[in-house]
Amino acid sequence: MENTPTAPDSPGWEQLAPGVARRRLPFLDVTVGVVVGDQGVLLVDTGSSVAEGALLRRQVRELTGRDVTHIALTHGHFDHVFGTAAFKGVQVFGDMALDAYLDRERFSLGRDAVGHGAGEAESTQAADALVRPGHLVDGSYELDLGGDRQVLLVHPGDGHTTHDLVVVVPGTPAVVFCGDLVEESGEPQAGPDAAPHAWPGTLDRLLWLGGETALYVPGHGAVVDARFVRAQRDALTARFGSA
């Protein structure tokens, strides 16, 4: 991808802006993203298994000609973090509350993976090898990938979890990797670790961060616009109320 084009021999990757691409993985339709700067390559989420992470590592190298240097984890559910162990020596970022969550829930995440159809052996392997973030984001953090590529990592509030992190890539258009705060291919999921009453207000802050013309990349599904995010906010308000 160098800093602009998507490599033609990298099927499945969709270029969103210069130096910014994403891929929908076949298992659970999880989205991962890549952002390229002059000195660094950021991967957003790592997939559902160590093997899937290893595949992503190879694909990003083919796509960009470079190795991943940084990872941002949007939240701690297995389908977004279990591939991280495939990236040795990479700087891993997450929200302040993510570290304790992964420490506490390591083995329940493995059981959850099996419950969603992942193989038991690979899920046990991923839980055993689970990588906790070495860099915890307290509110927001500007990550410099070199050149004019500064990426904003932000905890916009609680919603899908209490440790959601979004990745805002300024540009024309701006691109916002939302994690599961926004979902397009299914109804937003509010499990036991969700904060449903806070979720609508968090989406308001997400819209403020991205603006009207941004591309919003959900954790599952097709890229959406600000109108879609507002409609999902309204649906969540009707479903759960708001704080």
Side-chain angles (χ1 to χ4, degrees), residues 44-214:
V44 183
D45 288 338
T46 61
S48 305
S49 68
V50 178
E52 198 164 55
L55 176 62
L56 287 170
R57 185 189 66 213
R58 294 193 298 271
Q59 287 184 341
V60 171
R61 188 183 297 123
E62 292 170 359
L63 183 69
T64 68
R66 316 240 300 273
D67 288 325
V68 171
T69 57
H70 302 77
I71 288 170
L73 299 174
T74 62
H75 62 292
H77 293 166
F78 80 91
D79 49 332
H80 297 262
V81 304
F82 265 10
T84 311
F87 296 86
K88 302 296 185 186
V90 172
Q91 297 184 53
V92 181
F93 292 78
D95 175 69
M96 282 292 292
L98 177 61
D99 183 63
Y101 176 86
L102 293 179
D103 185 41
R104 182 176 68 249
E105 301 294 338
R106 174 188 301 265
F107 296 109
S108 66
L109 290 173
R111 292 192 296 271
D112 192 33
V114 173
H116 279 83
E120 186 169 358
E122 68 180 5
S123 299
T124 299
Q125 176 199 25
D128 287 342
L130 187 63
V131 175
R132 290 157 59 183
H135 302 271
L136 299 177
V137 176
D138 186 5
S140 66
Y141 179 79
E142 188 172 78
L143 178 61
D144 187 354
L145 295 176
D148 60 354
R149 181 70 79 192
Q150 281 78 42
V151 176
L152 190 62
L153 311 179
V154 184
H155 171 64
D158 299 341
H160 180 64
T161 70
T162 56
H163 54 265
D164 294 303
L165 191 76
V166 301
V167 178
V168 182
V169 187
T172 307
V175 178
V176 183
F177 292 95
C178 307
D180 287 1
L181 283 169
V182 178
E183 294 197 40
E184 187 275 336
S185 56
E187 187 175 75
Q189 298 299 301
D193 55 348
H197 298 296
W199 202 334
T202 295
L203 291 186
D204 282 330
R205 288 185 285 276
L206 184 68
L207 287 162
W208 179 84
L209 286 165
E212 283 299 307
T213 60

